[in-house]
Amino acid sequence: MWEPDIMLNLDCTPAPQTSAGNQKKKPRWFKRKGQFSERKVVNGTPKTQQGPRQTQHGGPPPRRPGSTEKMSLVKTTPPSSSEVNLTPSASNRSRPSPITSGTKGTTVCPSAGSSHRPAAVVIPSGNPSKILAIDCEMVGTGPKGSISQLARCSLVSYSGDVVYDKYIKPAAPVTDYRSRWSGIRPRDLANATPYAEARKEILNLLGGKLVIGHAIHNDFRVLSYSHPASLTRDTSRFPPLNRKAGLDEKQVASLKRLTKAIFNREIQTGKRGHSSVEDARATMALYKVVEEQWETEMASKSKPESPGLKVTVCR
């Protein structure tokens, strides 16, 4: 006879007694009389601690079927200094204070716009009292006059006024006056200012100034002087100036050629040689032609004092 395969689950465990003399089995969450399990979050990890919580009848509150009641009481403590968010709010941001950099004549100042904008590095330009053009005339000393020595130096202002113009007597005997080019003759150096004294006067005038020159490295060499590159402008090596003269950008053109091409004016004429005052004025005139473009390019190439700084030229 076929019988169905039936499985019966017979639980022979006797039911719990409910008489007054017996107690029901305590729930798992119950720890001690009048106590309950409490969850506390410490450093992001839930932990369990004991704490009293009772109902009116002395026992724990009933839990509704299917509910997800949270039995946690998180103690709020003030954050430590390391946990405080130090990012300033938009209303709390303040303007940066001016900072003076180590380079003379260069200042870091707050920008005029929003506080999010970087500060600006200001390079003095266009101030007549801060710009000088220089030109030096040399004579030769040593064997066959092969060593160049300073014999005259002229400095002119932004407007072309003469600031300094003196004949200078070299420390070594002159063996070649180079009069055809320098315009220097023996009588000019008879009562000239000694080199050491003249050099001190010139360097005092150049300090902190924007100095313009044509092949200016030659002028600085005879002065045994090095001027900051950010405050030096050489009109013999600025391509836009050559373009205005219709010359090749890479060509090192003479001062005489540039002056003729741009201003249609002749300089360094005659047999008396060059005049350092005339050459310094011509150099300053060439600089003014491309001043705005030159200073803008110099500002963009300058290295900022700190990340996020922008270099601008204030006039």
Side-chain angles (χ1 to χ4, degrees):
M1 180 177 179
W2 176 83
E3 295 180 357
D5 189 6
I6 301 174
M7 296 181 65
L8 298 176
N9 184 10
L10 300 177
D11 188 358
C12 299
T13 303
Q17 298 179 3
T18 58
S19 61
N22 296 325
Q23 294 181 353
K24 293 183 180 181
K25 188 178 180 179
K26 297 180 180 180
R28 292 182 180 180
W29 48 264
F30 191 88
K31 299 300 180 181
R32 291 195 305 270
K33 184 178 181 180
Q35 302 290 326
F36 69 95
S37 176
E38 175 185 6
R39 299 182 65 194
K40 180 179 180 181
V41 179
V42 180
N43 293 332
T45 304
K47 292 188 177 181
T48 303
Q49 68 177 10
Q50 303 297 328
R53 187 179 181 185
Q54 299 180 0
T55 62
Q56 296 177 357
H57 304 287
R63 179 178 295 184
R64 296 178 180 177
S67 67
T68 57
E69 179 184 358
K70 294 184 180 179
M71 303 292 294
S72 64
L73 295 176
V74 180
K75 184 179 180 181
T76 304
T77 57
S80 62
S81 59
S82 60
E83 299 173 344
V84 177
N85 185 9
L86 299 180
T87 305
S89 61
S91 60
N92 251 348
R93 293 190 182 99
S94 57
R95 301 276 305 262
S97 57
I99 305 173
T100 303
S101 70
T103 306
K104 192 171 184 179
T106 305
T107 306
V108 178
C109 59
S111 59
S114 169
S115 59
H116 294 283
R117 297 180 183 176
V121 177
V122 182
I123 300 176
S125 174
N127 187 346
S129 63
K130 294 293 183 179
I131 301 181
L132 292 175
I134 186 174
D135 189 79
C136 296
E137 302 297 344
M138 294 80 152
V139 295
T141 62
K144 297 181 180 181
S146 58
I147 303 174
S148 295
Q149 296 287 336
L150 182 63
R152 185 183 179 185
C153 180
S154 300
L155 300 174
V156 301
S157 67
Y158 186 79
S159 58
D161 298 327
V162 176
V163 175
Y164 185 92
D165 182 29
K166 284 187 178 182
Y167 289 105
I168 300 166
K169 188 173 185 178
V174 178
T175 55
D176 186 359
Y177 285 90
R178 306 176 185 176
S179 300
R180 179 181 176 183
W181 298 278
S182 67
I184 305 295
R185 288 163 177 77
R187 63 176 179 270
D188 296 328
L189 302 183
N191 298 316
T193 305
Y195 171 77
E197 180 183 343
R199 179 178 180 274
K200 188 180 297 185
E201 295 171 349
I202 296 167
L203 298 191
N204 285 338
L205 292 171
L206 296 181
K209 301 295 195 305
L210 189 66
V211 183
I212 321 298
H214 195 83
I216 198 171
H217 60 279
N218 294 323
D219 302 315
F220 289 154
R221 183 184 297 122
V222 294
L223 284 166
S224 300
Y225 174 65
S226 178
H227 199 68
S230 61
L231 297 177
T232 303
R233 306 290 183 267
D234 190 346
T235 54
S236 70
R237 298 182 179 275
F238 189 57
L241 198 55
N242 282 19
R243 287 199 298 268
K244 286 186 175 295
L247 306 175
D248 184 9
E249 292 184 3
K250 298 182 180 180
Q251 181 180 358
V252 181
S254 66
L255 179 62
K256 180 176 182 177
R257 188 176 182 185
L258 284 174
T259 304
K260 175 64 177 177
I262 295 177
F263 303 112
N264 194 26
R265 181 161 57 91
E266 296 284 353
I267 61 171
Q268 301 175 353
T269 57
K271 297 181 180 181
R272 295 189 60 83
H274 302 178
S275 166
S276 55
V277 171
E278 181 183 50
D279 290 353
R281 284 173 173 165
T283 301
M284 182 64 81
L286 290 174
Y287 167 73
K288 289 181 178 180
V289 170
V290 290
E291 177 184 4
E292 183 175 354
Q293 180 180 357
W294 203 335
E295 296 309 322
T296 301
E297 289 189 13
M298 288 297 295
S300 63
K301 293 178 182 178
S302 298
K303 295 181 179 180
E305 294 293 323
S306 63
L309 292 183
K310 182 178 67 174
V311 180
T312 57
V313 178
C314 295
R315 300 187 180 280

